[in-house]
Structure formats: C-alpha cells, structure tokens
Amino acid sequence: MEELAADGRLPAPRRPTGSDVVFTADFTSETQWVAGRSWAYPDGGPVNPGDDKLDYLVPDADHSRSGVFRATRRPDGRWNTGLLTTEDSEEGFTVRTGDVLEARVRLPQEIGAWPAIWTWRDGDQEIDVFEYHPDHPDLLELTNHVRGADRYVHDDAVGPGAWVDLRTDFGRRSVVWWLNGTRVFSDGRGVGRAWYAYLIVNLSVSAGRYHPPPEDDTTEMSFEVSSLVVRRPGPGGGGDGGKHGEAATVSGPAE
C-alpha cells in the first residue's frame, strides 16, 4: 500500500532524477501532430474494420485539435473520428526507452466509445498507456504489445465521465503504469534498450465484436486530454519505473 502524506493524500509519483520535459502536447500544432491519418490503420486509413472499429478518420480540427477527441455518426453507419499522431509530423517526436509520459484524461460516457493513448512505429512497437470502454465502467486496459504483457485494472476512480491522471514509465526492463498517483501495474518485461515509437491519441468506435457498438440514439461521443507531457531522465535518472507498491485491484490478462 502507498504511504499517505500528513494531510491524508497519496504522494505524487516520483520524478526520475534529473528528468527534463522533452514534449508538451499542443494539439493545435500542425508541426507536432498530424490529424486524421495513421499507418496503424491499413493504408494510413481512414477505416480499420479488421480491428473491430467503425472509425472513419477525419482531419478536421473539430474532432481533435482542441484536445477534445470527438466521434460523430455518419449516414453510412461509420463514425467520423478524431486521431492525432506524431508520425509523419514535421517534428516527428518519438517516445524512447526510459521516458515517462503523464496525461490528464476525461473518460467518455457513451457505450461504444473507445479512447486510447498509445505508441506505434513500423507496424509494431505498441504500448497502450490506456484503453477504455464504458461498458466496463471501472476498468482500464494497460498493454505492452512489444513484449507481451497486459493487465485489467479496476478502480473506483475510473468511470464514465471521470477525470483520471495517468502515468506510464517506459522502462528498459519494465513498463510501469500509474493511476492517480498509485502504481497499478509493473509488467516486468519492458521495452528493451533501443525502443522508440510515435505517439497516437484518438477516439475509436467499437463495431460490436468485443464491445457493444453505440446505441441507436447516440450521434456523438467524446473524451478529453487536458494535458500530456513526456519527461526524459538525464544521466543518473531511472529507466525502469518507480519503486512504490501496487495498490489497485487488478485482474488477469486482457483479451
């Protein structure tokens, strides 16, 4: 269990020694982010039905550039969806081994919504900072696809419309996830010494194979990212996450 501070609050996650902020998300920036296409989708998009998604990626600013990622129903049954990625951007920022990503997120309320912050490069290198589906209201999905580790994390702070603070430490030997200041999963696998990948933030829409699709009367859904920063430890900084104990309810591997 985490040790409480004198005022009864949980302590903030430890910062890596000598870490510097190397990326602060400005979702309006066209040099940081590319909108509406990603090579994580076949041919760069706009659709990805093989991954059980109703997405139709759109570049218009109203679906992503404010930090509110929106999905709106189309007449053809698909959904216009917002996605931003650093891949192919002018700056081309990549997360690297040892980096620490911190984000504040408002979870969506609508059934069928599928928000995520994740990494991607060359058809692989995927680490999911989080995925969420409102049909499992108290559950976050955390996954290291690089070295095959995942965890369902149940927490009372997680729910439709809730604000949560997320942190992921991309350690060489262990990727560590934190929720609201508490370490909830350390995978013991890590990403290796030379790993790097681009960032993706998006709102997908479930097609119904694994999670229910949107209800018939739902025409719009959204989630929000109010802040996202990446810190990079300097010499002497830690590259394998913090040392606090796990303190949330977790269950077996995500399917």
Side-chain angles (χ1 to χ4, degrees):
M1 296 293 292
E2 297 289 331
E3 182 180 354
L4 295 178
D7 59 5
R9 295 180 300 171
L10 287 170
R14 296 176 182 175
R15 302 264 188 242
T17 303
S19 66
D20 293 319
V21 173
V22 293
F23 184 83
T24 300
D26 175 2
F27 295 125
T28 67
S29 171
E30 296 186 3
T31 63
Q32 272 193 0
W33 301 95
V34 170
R37 68 177 188 272
S38 169
W39 293 109
Y41 284 54
D43 301 317
V47 299
N48 190 7
D51 199 24
D52 196 42
K53 293 180 177 181
L54 295 174
D55 303 13
Y56 193 98
L57 300 181
V58 292
D60 67 283
D62 189 46
H63 279 73
S64 59
R65 289 291 187 181
S66 68
V68 177
F69 291 77
R70 299 174 59 239
T72 54
R73 190 185 290 272
R74 295 165 51 93
D76 61 6
R78 298 188 184 276
W79 286 69
N80 290 335
T81 56
L83 178 148
L84 294 179
T85 178
T86 61
E87 185 174 16
D88 292 336
S89 70
E90 183 177 327
E91 294 183 11
F93 176 79
T94 56
V95 185
R96 303 178 187 175
T97 300
D99 283 359
V100 175
L101 182 149
E102 296 174 325
R104 181 162 175 79
V105 169
R106 176 183 56 79
L107 300 173
Q109 301 185 57
E110 298 82 8
I111 296 296
W114 182 358
I117 299 174
W118 47 304
T119 68
W120 185 263
R121 179 176 60 84
D122 297 338
D124 200 352
Q125 313 309 321
E126 181 179 352
I127 304 291
D128 296 329
V129 171
F130 89 103
E131 294 178 271
Y132 179 71
H133 300 274
D135 56 296
H136 294 289
D138 70 339
L139 173 69
L140 293 182
E141 300 177 22
L142 315 174
T143 308
N144 177 349
H145 291 278
V146 176
R147 292 189 168 180
D150 50 38
R151 187 65 57 91
Y152 283 162
V153 172
H154 294 269
D155 194 283
D156 291 342
V158 175
W163 282 95
V164 293
D165 292 314
L166 306 170
R167 166 176 160 171
T168 303
D169 300 13
F170 300 91
R172 177 170 60 90
R173 292 175 294 182
S174 188
V175 179
V176 182
W177 286 263
W178 306 71
L179 170 64
N180 292 339
T182 299
R183 189 173 76 169
V184 293
F185 181 39
S186 178
D187 69 12
R189 300 290 182 87
V191 293
R193 186 181 300 275
W195 176 84
Y196 65 100
Y198 300 100
L199 278 173
I200 299 176
V201 183
N202 76 303
L203 177 61
S204 285
V205 179
S206 297
R209 187 187 313 158
Y210 306 116
H211 294 271
E215 297 174 351
D216 291 343
D217 60 353
T218 300
T219 60
E220 182 174 342
M221 55 186 69
S222 68
F223 93 105
E224 183 174 355
V225 181
S226 65
S227 65
L228 188 159
V229 299
V230 178
R231 302 176 187 275
R232 184 161 296 160
D240 291 304
K243 299 186 181 298
H244 289 241
E246 297 183 18
T249 302
V250 295
S251 62
E255 296 179 356

